[in-house]
Structure formats: structure tokens, C-alpha cells
Amino acid sequence: MSAGGRVLILGLPYFGRRLAGELAGLGWNASYLSHPGKDAAGWARVALGVAKADVVYLVGSRAERGSPQDRLLRLRRKPVVIHWVGTDVQIAIDEHRRGRLSPRIAGKPQHWCDAPWLVEELRTAGIVSEYVPLPIPIVEAPPPPLPGTFRVLLYYPVDGFDREVFDIETMLRLPAAFPDVHFTLIPSPGGTLPGPLPANLEARGWVDDMEALYRETTALVRLTSHDGQSFMAAEALSRGRYVIWTHPMPGATRAEGFEAVAAALGDLVARHRAGKLGLNVDGRRSAIERFGGGRPLAEIDERLRIIARR
């Protein structure tokens, strides 16, 4: 057995692959397996991995009776962790309201949430959880100055299911309200958006070099009716950028709906034009305090080591 034991990570690919690599760097025999779909051999690999693991770590989960996670918990006797990250919480609450929530999923695993408000939401479904942040690749080195031209970054996902919680109507109204401000929208291509698009809105599609994009960004605007902890919000704050988000985060401005969002953005634009807008020092400090120094990964490592010994 390795220093940390064997942990199998299942669930959302982006988070799962990152965690497997980071935990392996701390001495865990950590691996990630993607959803097998209809591949019987893939399901066999998952079953073997589950049987061998000291801890099974689910990043995101279904919650209804009869789901793969429910069947896993029916058979498994060793520890299971579920790390809830956003829309999965909404689905779990819906299943609870329909009377379909699995008692095994609600009561058997160790439940963690990547945002504080998700803890309270899960409580309404009878699931007791703790706030445990996921590691986010923030920047602790001195950030580049704000760009000379005020620029806004918008996020709107490509997947139709993910889009359901995003306020695209408000996002598309903002460029017309600020015709002298440049807006960049990622990762959805322009052809997937309701047109015609304003001249000051650029839909870039997928971006590989996010560091370059943050350098040319003054403010990130993220508008969602439901969310977990936004990686982009933490990344932008750590770089001294401004964040307007529907959900609470130290150093960011909380705003919802066109009027409130436009007012928050207008204040930043006015300060920029007056030459009084510097780096978001408070936001950067808050992001580094919460996510810097490897603290989230160290906390997960410590928690997993305690769980694996049970």
C-alpha cells in the first residue's frame, strides 16, 4: 500500500483527473476512471477498481434509488466520499421532493460540498455535509496590471443542460448597455448564440490560453441561478481582476438580474474612466487566503487519510 492508500476517483472528468494527479503527488495510489457508458469492459474496470480501493471518491453524484451510485453503495463496505459541486445538488433535491432519494446515498457516504451554500441546500434533502473546497489553480505571484482598455469576460457553456442555469438574456443585454466596452464570451461559439450579436461582443469559443485571456480582462461576469464554487471566479480574483457573480464570494460583487449587474459593472467602468480603478487587492487576498498555499489539497489529503483508516 502506498503512503496514502488506494483511492479511486469517479465522476466529473475535469475535477476527477485533476484530483487524481494531485493526490498521486502526495503519495496516494490515485486513479480516475471515466463513466463507461454502454461499454461492458469499462464497467468491469470500474467494478474492479471499486473492489480494490481503500476509498472511492465521487466528484458529483446522482442521488436516486437504483442509480449506479446507489448500487455501488449497496455492495461496498469500505469508505465512500461524495464531493458535491453544483447542479448535482439541484438534482438530489429534486429527487428528494419526488420521494426518490436513496437512503443509502443520503446516509452512508461522507458528504462534502465545494461551496458553503451547497451544504445548506443539501440539508433540505436530509443530507448532512461539510464545506470542503476543491483545489483551484490560482496565481500567487504578483499579477499583471489591469489592461488599459476596460474589457469584460463572460462565461456561457456549450452544453444545453449546463446552459439552463445561466442568465444569457442579461449577458447579451450588457454589451448594448455599454457600447464602448469590449465583451468576450467563452466557450460557446457565436453560431450557437441568439443573434445578431452586438459589435462589441466577441464569442471566441474554446480558449486554450486562459492566462493570456485573464491578462486582457478587467472584470469577469458570471450569472447563474444555481452554482457551485466557480473556478474562474477564484482564478480571476487571484489575478487581481474584478468579479460580478450571482453567488457570494469574498472580494467579488454579488449581483443578480440586469439592473443590479449593470449598476455593478457601471461603477467599475466609471472608476476606470476616472483613472481610479487599480487591481482588486481585496479580492486577490481573499482568493489566496482560501485557495492558496496548497491548503484545499492538504485538507482533502488529511481527511482522506483519516477516512481510509476506518
Side-chain angles (χ1 to χ4, degrees):
M1 180 185 289
S2 68
R6 186 187 297 268
V7 57
L8 174 65
I9 303 174
L10 305 172
L12 296 173
Y14 175 78
F15 302 108
R17 291 191 179 102
R18 284 189 59 89
L19 271 174
E22 290 169 328
L23 289 172
L26 296 179
W28 287 89
N29 183 348
S31 59
Y32 170 77
L33 291 176
S34 59
H35 194 291
K38 297 182 180 180
D39 180 12
W43 281 109
R45 286 192 294 273
V46 170
L48 181 61
V50 167
K52 289 183 175 181
D54 298 299
V55 180
V56 172
Y57 187 160
L58 304 174
V59 185
S61 179
R62 297 301 298 253
E64 70 273 18
R65 290 190 296 270
S67 64
Q69 294 84 351
D70 185 38
R71 293 195 293 270
L72 181 154
L73 287 166
R74 183 174 59 194
L75 300 174
R76 183 170 169 82
R77 297 295 177 262
K78 293 180 181 179
V80 175
V81 172
I82 298 179
H83 211 144
W84 302 86
V85 295
T87 305
D88 52 353
V89 173
Q90 264 192 324
I91 295 173
I93 292 171
D94 288 342
E95 297 296 355
H96 170 67
R97 289 170 180 162
R98 296 187 182 106
R100 292 167 37 180
L101 180 68
S102 162
R104 274 187 291 266
I105 291 177
K108 192 172 180 181
Q110 181 77 42
H111 294 283
W112 300 341
C113 292
D114 82 331
W117 56 88
L118 297 181
V119 174
E120 300 307 317
E121 292 180 19
L122 278 179
R123 198 186 311 276
T124 67
I127 298 176
V128 178
S129 61
E130 297 177 273
Y131 168 52
V132 179
L134 283 165
I136 297 179
I138 65 167
V139 168
E140 297 187 58
L146 295 178
T149 301
F150 194 99
R151 303 175 72 95
V152 177
L153 178 60
L154 305 171
Y155 181 84
Y156 187 56
V158 176
D159 183 81
F161 177 78
D162 295 333
R163 284 182 170 186
E164 291 179 4
V165 298
F166 280 79
D167 184 3
I168 187 60
E169 179 181 351
T170 293
M171 282 191 276
L172 292 182
R173 288 178 65 187
L174 290 173
F178 297 92
D180 297 331
V181 172
H182 184 87
F183 290 77
T184 300
L185 185 146
I186 63 168
S188 290
T192 69
L193 304 173
L197 299 181
N200 59 328
L201 172 60
E202 176 190 8
R204 288 195 187 177
W206 185 261
V207 173
D208 289 317
D209 189 356
M210 284 299 296
E211 192 61 47
L213 186 55
Y214 283 129
R215 281 197 301 271
E216 64 183 52
T217 294
T218 309
L220 167 70
V221 176
R222 181 179 176 94
L223 305 178
T224 51
S225 60
H226 189 270
D227 225 335
Q229 172 59 56
S230 164
F231 273 41
M232 285 183 67
E235 290 166 359
L237 288 175
S238 74
R239 290 162 173 84
R241 274 48 190 165
Y242 292 85
V243 172
I244 299 172
W245 189 17
T246 322
H247 295 271
M249 184 173 183
T253 298
R254 187 177 185 183
E256 180 179 1
F258 175 76
E259 298 299 332
V261 173
L265 189 57
D267 176 69
L268 294 177
V269 171
R271 289 162 60 192
H272 168 81
R273 289 174 178 166
K276 297 180 180 180
L277 189 69
L279 288 168
N280 182 359
V281 176
D282 290 340
R284 173 172 158 77
R285 183 185 303 113
S286 295
I288 291 174
E289 286 175 354
R290 182 177 296 193
F291 300 106
R295 282 182 286 275
L297 182 61
E299 180 180 357
I300 289 173
D301 174 47
E302 182 180 2
R303 286 172 175 269
L304 287 176
R305 290 176 189 273
I306 293 170
I307 290 170
R309 291 196 291 267
R310 292 176 182 171

